[in-house]
Amino acid sequence: MDLGIKGKRALVCASSKGLGLGCARSLAEAGVDLVMNARGRDALEASAAAIRSEFGVNVVTVAADITSEEGRARVLEAAKDVDILVTNAGGPPPGLWSDWEREDFIAALDANMLTPIALMKALLPGMMDRGWGRVVNITSQSVKAPIAVLGLSNSARAGLTGYVAGTARQVAGSGVTINNLLPGIHATDRAVALDTGVTQAQGISMEDAKAQRCEGIPAGRYGTADEFGAACAFLCSQHAGFIVGQNLLLDGGGVNATL
Ligand code: NAP
């Protein structure tokens, strides 16, 4: 399917690896020029070079912490006039409700709620002036069904979801859509970190930790970054202009809910 976005420009945050990279690759495959970002320069440059050579699109890289004001300013300098924004950052660490102090919540809110909000605030006006834009926020299945050990994520992402629900409806009339993608477990470094936590907490092997997790996923496997990226590219396509303020689960059926 022609996504109809060849020649558009996208900022994909936190995109040297994992789900962000999946989104960057699928947008590049659709002919979209990219601004890619991550903190570590080596992996970022390697991923950008691979995308340039595979898809022939322009890729600008900005090595910066997207959750810091200074990092965001540098990223936005390179991405002021983008048509597409994909927000993403690392997820908060797991833990127990009784461990978390105010500063832990502030850090989670900064990374997973206030950073995407700041990026939208900076980039939505240009999209609205031009009469076309797409925003996809990478959140988590924890928005629909809490993951107890990820209480910091549950809290911060719920805040972002509430913001998007209202804002998406305020900007839709200008041809700009905002939607959220909610990953369940996907085979990325983040999944390795979470599974390592399970091996330590339960004294089981990595293989057993994965098998245990798969028992709760009707699809019986982890998702892939490619599948995730394809869904992102569709939400950013010309065909998705009537999809507004939605929260799309990509979880292999893991969240057991009718709606
Ligand atoms: P990942 O494989 O660990 O990749 C994270 C990417 O983000 C890397 O490119 C990393 O590069 C970059 N990054 C992390 N923090 C950053 C920051 N502060 N500024 C700029 N770049 C940053 O993680 P993932 O699995 O793709 O997860 C992406 C998001 O989805 C996370 O928020 C995660 O919590 C959420 N999620 C993932 C899953 C899953 O199963 N994978 C499930 C639910 C939710 P650098 O480290 O070099 O910066």
Side-chain angles (χ1 to χ4, degrees), residues 72-99:
R72 265 195 311 279
R74 285 200 290 121
V75 170
L76 286 169
E77 185 55 33
K80 338 181 157 71
D81 54 354
V82 291
D83 309 292
I84 295 168
L85 164 65
V86 180
T87 76
N88 186 27
L96 193 62
W97 61 271
S98 50
D99 297 337

Side-chain angles (χ1 to χ4, degrees), residues 13-21 37-41 43-44 62 64-68 88-92 111-112 138-142 147 150 153 157 182-194 222 225 228:
C13 302
S15 56
S16 66
K17 298 178 187 169
L19 304 182
L21 177 57
N37 150 259
R39 292 165 303 181
R41 189 175 293 282
L44 179 62
V62 185
D65 182 344
I66 198 67
T67 68
S68 76
N88 186 27
N112 299 113
I138 300 179
T139 67
S140 172
Q141 69 176 7
S142 70
I147 302 170
L150 292 178
S153 171
R157 297 190 200 276
L182 283 52
I185 196 77
H186 282 69
T188 68
D189 288 357
R190 169 76 171 170
V192 172
L194 292 174
Y222 287 20
F228 191 88

Side-chain angles (χ1 to χ4, degrees), residues 2 14 18 36 40 45 49 54 67 69 78 81 89 99 106 108 133 146 148 172 189-190 194 230 234-235 237 245 255:
D2 178 0
M36 290 176 66
E45 293 304 341
E54 196 171 344
T67 68
E69 221 170 298
D81 54 354
D99 297 337
I106 297 295
D189 288 357
R190 169 76 171 170
L194 292 174
F234 179 76
L235 283 181
S237 75
V255 172

Side-chain angles (χ1 to χ4, degrees), residues 6-195:
K6 188 173 164 51
K8 300 273 187 201
R9 269 188 99 220
L11 165 59
V12 187
C13 302
S15 56
S16 66
K17 298 178 187 169
L19 304 182
L21 177 57
C23 296
R25 287 180 53 80
S26 290
L27 287 168
E29 191 174 10
V32 174
D33 294 323
L34 300 174
V35 177
M36 290 176 66
N37 150 259
R39 292 165 303 181
R41 189 175 293 282
D42 291 352
L44 179 62
E45 293 304 341
S47 295
I51 286 178
R52 284 186 203 107
S53 98
E54 196 171 344
F55 303 111
V57 296
N58 292 322
V59 183
V60 172
T61 56
V62 185
D65 182 344
I66 198 67
T67 68
S68 76
E69 221 170 298
E70 181 270 335
R72 265 195 311 279
R74 285 200 290 121
V75 170
L76 286 169
E77 185 55 33
K80 338 181 157 71
D81 54 354
V82 291
D83 309 292
I84 295 168
L85 164 65
V86 180
T87 76
N88 186 27
L96 193 62
W97 61 271
S98 50
D99 297 337
W100 299 316
E101 302 297 342
R102 184 171 193 279
E103 52 272 24
D104 300 310
F105 283 100
I106 297 295
L109 291 171
D110 263 339
N112 299 113
M113 176 184 170
L114 299 175
T115 289
I117 288 175
L119 291 165
M120 283 186 264
K121 195 168 179 213
L123 295 173
L124 284 172
M127 295 180 192
M128 293 167 77
D129 284 348
R130 293 187 293 276
W132 196 95
R134 298 283 184 266
V135 178
V136 172
N137 301 295
I138 300 179
T139 67
S140 172
Q141 69 176 7
S142 70
V143 168
K144 293 255 187 192
I147 302 170
V149 293
L150 292 178
L152 294 172
S153 171
N154 298 341
S155 307
R157 297 190 200 276
L160 174 63
T161 305
Y163 172 88
V164 166
T167 307
R169 287 161 173 93
Q170 289 178 311
V171 303
S174 301
V176 179
T177 69
I178 313 178
N179 292 288
N180 302 322
L181 278 180
L182 283 52
I185 196 77
H186 282 69
T188 68
D189 288 357
R190 169 76 171 170
V192 172
L194 292 174
D195 286 341

